[in-house]
Amino acid sequence: MKVLGGSASPLLSSRLAKELGATLGKVETKRFPDGEGYVRIQDDLEREDVVLVQTTRSDQDIVELLMLQDAVHEFRVRSLITVVPYFGYARQDKLFNKGEAISSRAIIRALQAHTDALLMVDVHNLLVLTYFDIPVENISGMLQIAQHLKDAGAEVVLSPDEGSIARARIVAQACGCSVDFLQKTRIDASTVKIATKVLDVSRKKVAIVDDIIATGGTIFEAAKQLKAQGAKEIIAACTHGLYAAGALPKLEGVCDSIVSTDTIEGETSAITVAPELAKAIKNYS
Ligand code: R5P
């Protein structure tokens, strides 16, 4: 088996290769002066089972992944599993207004053309899985997050909204913590309101768990409540640390620590989802 990593997932692809006992292939990526991308696979993939890993945080990541799939397709590979650890556009999962695109569906249609199966991690809405015509699986990073929070001594797990309580419950159960949730209303893309709720957090180490941190508005408002109610320590934990401009410094002002998984590689991605991905990939072989 060969694992190939796109330029958005160098660390996770090498960790995954290690977990699978597979070889990490060499991929060259570069950009022409006009901004167009270029990819070249430097290994021979004839008759190989290939795992291609690329997070699609930006449009450039998506184009690079499509080109990598095309390059893999040029070899007579035995199978190709595409791993999209963070699947961008997942929040554009349905029509909100007439005339819009269902953006996640548009991208899925392109991505599924040249792969046998596709894996994602903690996709924002499971509805997007229904847009696939090929085998697709959503892998949870919550058990890895739970292990990290257990080691950090978290006592309470908090979901910032009721919609994410299922994920928070998994984490709380795995680390032996109590669980609660807040009621969030999104005003616009960068503003959220969180209703006041009395929580049992006084003098406790509390972990706020979410799938995505984007602008940081959700965690910021939740953390402010926890501080006001006397929480001893606040840990913000998420699968996908997107961090729009200014999000991290804003959160550092209210949280004691911020941690994410390596679906998006960056300064907070201390947790790896490679073991869970490897388990799922082994089921396909
Ligand atoms: C929303 O439903 C998600 O689960 C996250 O809470 C949201 O994407 C976080 O966004 P932000 O960091 O911009 O508040």
Side-chain angles (χ1 to χ4, degrees):
M1 181 180 277
K2 281 244 162 71
V3 176
L4 301 174
S7 62
S9 299
L11 202 58
L12 180 54
S13 51
S14 71
R15 286 172 174 161
L16 188 55
K18 217 176 195 174
E19 286 285 336
L20 290 165
T23 316
L24 183 66
K26 282 199 183 65
V27 176
E28 180 192 352
T29 58
K30 65 179 183 191
R31 211 151 280 289
F32 289 107
D34 62 0
E36 287 183 359
Y38 166 92
V39 303
R40 181 171 175 228
I41 295 164
Q42 294 177 334
D43 292 55
D44 184 3
L45 302 179
E46 283 312 296
R47 307 299 308 150
E48 287 279 1
D49 290 309
V50 178
V51 175
L52 176 58
V53 189
Q54 168 81 328
T55 258
T56 57
R57 179 194 187 154
S58 68
D59 292 359
Q60 288 190 343
D61 297 339
I62 297 170
V63 173
E64 186 183 304
L65 177 55
L66 290 170
M67 292 193 297
L68 283 169
Q69 286 181 324
D70 190 73
V72 171
H73 196 64
E74 279 296 310
F75 296 91
R76 274 166 307 168
V77 296
R78 212 157 62 165
S79 66
L80 172 62
I81 296 176
T82 301
V83 179
V84 186
Y86 169 69
F87 176 67
Y89 288 95
R91 288 176 289 177
Q92 294 187 41
D93 51 16
K94 56 178 183 260
L95 283 187
F96 296 93
N97 296 295
K98 193 165 185 248
E100 291 173 347
I102 300 182
S103 312
S104 55
R105 185 184 61 190
I107 290 153
I108 285 165
R109 282 178 175 161
L111 286 182
Q112 68 178 3
H114 283 317
T115 190
D116 298 301
L118 193 140
L119 304 183
M120 298 174 171
V121 182
D122 287 331
V123 66
H124 180 66
N125 187 343
L126 292 174
L127 175 71
V128 304
L129 302 185
T130 65
Y131 297 141
F132 282 89
D133 300 316
I134 58 163
V136 58
E137 213 174 313
N138 180 50
I139 309 302
S140 174
M142 291 299 142
L143 289 181
Q144 263 72 39
I145 290 177
Q147 189 55 54
H148 178 92
L149 295 177
K150 193 174 179 181
D151 296 344
E155 297 165 274
V156 181
V157 170
L158 188 74
S159 167
D161 55 49
E162 210 174 344
S164 302
I165 186 74
R167 277 190 280 259
R169 277 212 180 97
I170 295 171
V171 174
Q173 202 177 12
C175 63
C177 298
S178 60
V179 63
D180 209 335
F181 65 90
L182 291 169
Q183 231 122 30
K184 174 176 98 175
T185 314
R186 182 162 288 286
I187 312 294
D188 58 39
S190 53
T191 324
V192 297
K193 242 176 84 179
I194 292 192
T196 309
K197 180 178 175 186
V198 179
L199 303 158
D200 181 17
V201 294
S202 177
R203 290 195 293 273
K204 291 190 173 158
K205 203 179 242 199
V206 187
I208 312 169
V209 176
D210 212 346
D211 58 338
I212 301 171
I213 299 179
T215 64
T218 302
I219 300 285
F220 184 77
E221 292 301 323
K224 270 199 325 197
Q225 269 216 40
L226 292 173
K227 276 258 146 85
Q229 295 190 36
K232 182 175 73 183
E233 197 178 316
I234 300 170
I235 307 169
C238 68
T239 309
H240 312 296
L242 275 177
Y243 310 124
L248 264 181
K250 176 167 143 185
L251 292 180
E252 277 157 5
V254 285
C255 298
D256 297 280
S257 57
I258 303 154
V259 68
S260 63
T261 77
D262 51 4
T263 59
I264 295 174
E265 300 177 16
E267 59 182 295
T268 66
S269 56
I271 303 168
T272 183
V273 293
E276 292 301 316
L277 282 170
K279 255 187 252 168
I281 289 165
K282 280 176 189 161
N283 285 339
Y284 281 91
S285 32

